[in-house]
Amino acid sequence: MVTVRLFAAFREAAGKKEVNISAKNIEELIRLLIARYKKLAPLLIKNTDPLELEDIIVLVNGRSIWYLKGVETKLKEEDVVSIFPLIGGG
Amino acid sequence: MLSDKDLTRYDRQIKIEAFGKKGQENLKKAHIVIAGAGGLGSSVALYLTAAGAGHITIIDHENVELSNLNRQILHWEKDIGKSKVDSAVEKLTQLNSDIEILGIKEKITEGNVLSLLKGADGVVDCLDNFKTRFILNDAILKLRIPFFHGACYEFEGRATTIIPGRTPCLRCIIPRSPPEKKVPIMGTTPGTIGTIQATEVIKFFSGIDPLLTGKLLVYDSRYFTYELIRIEKNPECPSCGGQ
Ligand SMILES: [Zn+2]
């Protein structure tokens, strides 16, 4: 199982701060996540088919998926995926 | 190096064993650039001025507007229409006349960033957009000086301390800039995040560990949480190449 840590507004939408999901890559993980927690869908994705993510930060063990393989980034059992909104105000 | 007045003025923090006279002296020698005199900049500048950071340069190209006043506590009703740096320098010099405070009314660009940061020992990110943050991120990597990042949205805040060669850079975790827009911000959020950034500056220059290095602080004042996310250097990062 992959450990998914949700932060800020995403935590509120899911009503959970940590979720365990069995998924082989980020795309599968995001699809399972929004199927389980419907309120997360508009926050996480722009488009379902093909899957397009909102301006959010997704880290696999601390590394941004945008430098890995994006939504095709492969996941292993013990991976920790952190998902949170990108914010920039000051 | 410290005057009798310094010893009295900073007595309560000098009493902290980990900080002491040495920490105060090092802070007095430091030249810190605060990029942005808005919500984060107000909080950072007030605390660094009060703490006795010896040389502060504050950069902002905007003028004070009424809608700034919910969070930009350096600016008051009488300052509306005035340049933010003039308003900031006026207050800060009244708070501490023993340190050097300089205001620069300029927009930070790729062309002027290196000359604006000349002589700086560290840069505090008090900006409201990623375009300028990335310009600063690239410049601090070149200059090999620390960068203290902060950002806010509604009740949420983020902070991390970037040290070239030691930690991931801003671009490692945030590859692309999101669209620019006026975001909702509760006035107290930059107060808290700015205070955290100022604390990191003080700790860095006085040699107090641990810092928010390799960690992103995710703060939420609505649900009372402070959490740390481990962040890693990215070999594919266009700014630092994971170095
Ligand atoms: Zn980088």
Side-chain angles (χ1 to χ4, degrees):
Chain A
M1 294 281 237
V2 174
T3 305
V4 183
R5 296 182 74 199
L6 298 167
F7 295 90
F10 301 167
R11 177 174 294 183
E12 192 191 349
K16 290 220 155 183
K17 57 180 185 182
E18 207 167 285
V19 189
N20 292 307
I21 290 184
S22 207
K24 62 177 189 313
N25 61 25
I26 290 290
E27 168 152 7
E28 193 184 346
L29 180 130
I30 297 282
R31 288 193 191 280
L32 289 167
L33 204 56
I34 59 180
R36 214 187 275 184
Y37 307 102
K38 302 252 171 333
K39 283 190 196 156
L40 274 178
L43 302 176
L44 300 188
I45 61 168
K46 271 187 192 147
N47 195 25
T48 348
D49 222 356
L51 186 74
E52 206 187 323
L53 298 184
E54 272 292 347
D55 291 311
I56 60 173
I57 301 183
V58 182
L59 305 178
V60 178
N61 306 325
R63 292 225 161 117
S64 168
I65 59 164
W66 301 116
Y67 298 118
L68 301 166
K69 296 234 160 62
V71 293
E72 288 166 31
T73 302
K74 287 201 170 42
L75 294 170
K76 297 186 302 292
E77 286 278 295
E78 64 278 17
D79 284 343
V80 178
V81 178
S82 307
I83 308 177
F84 48 98
L86 173 52
I87 65 172
Chain B
M1 175 89 199
L2 294 175
S3 65
D4 286 345
K5 190 178 171 196
D6 287 340
L7 291 172
T8 307
R9 175 173 206 133
Y10 307 116
D11 175 58
R12 297 291 284 265
Q13 63 199 43
I14 289 173
K15 279 196 165 86
I16 302 171
E17 217 183 298
F19 185 74
K21 281 186 194 166
K22 192 86 203 124
Q24 192 66 55
E25 274 170 17
N26 288 334
L27 193 59
K28 190 173 176 175
K29 280 186 236 156
H31 177 193
I32 296 150
V33 171
I34 302 172
L40 290 169
S42 289
S43 168
V44 169
L46 278 166
Y47 274 104
L48 288 182
T49 299
H55 313 267
I56 293 175
T57 299
I58 185 157
I59 308 172
D60 202 303
H61 68 283
E62 289 180 342
N63 292 330
V64 179
E65 291 173 24
L66 181 60
S67 64
N68 297 152
L69 304 194
N70 83 313
R71 63 193 186 286
Q72 305 185 10
I73 54 172
L74 264 181
H75 314 306
W76 304 342
E77 284 183 4
K78 70 171 180 69
D79 304 312
I80 291 170
K82 206 158 122 184
S83 105
K84 283 190 185 177
V85 290
D86 288 347
S87 157
V89 171
E90 181 205 329
K91 318 300 183 339
L92 297 170
T93 47
Q94 285 181 62
L95 172 58
N96 193 341
S97 57
D98 295 331
I99 63 169
E100 209 178 82
I101 305 165
L102 176 71
I104 301 179
K105 189 180 183 184
E106 240 180 281
K107 193 176 163 73
I108 300 167
T109 65
E110 271 157 16
N112 68 11
V113 67
L114 291 176
S115 70
L116 286 174
L117 300 186
K118 203 166 171 213
D121 298 310
V123 182
V124 195
D125 166 11
C126 300
L127 296 160
D128 60 358
N129 69 87
F130 275 99
K131 201 175 159 238
T132 319
R133 281 190 175 98
F134 289 157
I135 293 174
L136 279 178
N137 180 65
D138 290 355
I140 65 99
L141 289 170
K142 220 170 261 164
L143 298 168
R144 316 292 292 172
I145 54 174
F147 188 38
F148 304 89
H149 166 68
C152 303
Y153 179 86
E154 295 186 355
F155 290 89
E156 286 175 42
R158 310 271 191 270
T160 187
T161 295
I162 295 160
I163 301 175
R166 233 179 85 190
T167 69
C169 79
L170 196 58
R171 211 66 191 269
C172 285
I173 33 170
I174 303 160
R176 320 180 281 196
S177 43
E180 263 175 61
K181 50 187 177 222
K182 285 211 186 308
V183 299
I185 300 181
M186 182 47 66
T188 52
T189 309
T192 308
I193 295 298
T195 308
I196 290 167
Q197 290 173 284
T199 310
E200 285 289 287
V201 172
I202 293 168
K203 284 164 63 188
F204 177 85
F205 287 101
S206 55
I208 300 174
D209 277 333
L211 295 163
L212 278 174
T213 42
K215 292 177 221 118
L216 181 71
L217 176 83
V218 177
Y219 161 74
D220 187 328
S221 60
R222 187 165 164 202
Y223 296 100
F224 320 106
T225 55
Y226 276 96
E227 278 176 280
L228 294 174
I229 301 177
R230 182 172 63 106
I231 49 175
E232 299 281 346
K233 290 182 192 173
N234 248 304
E236 315 287 318
C237 172
S239 293
C240 75
Q243 297 301 297

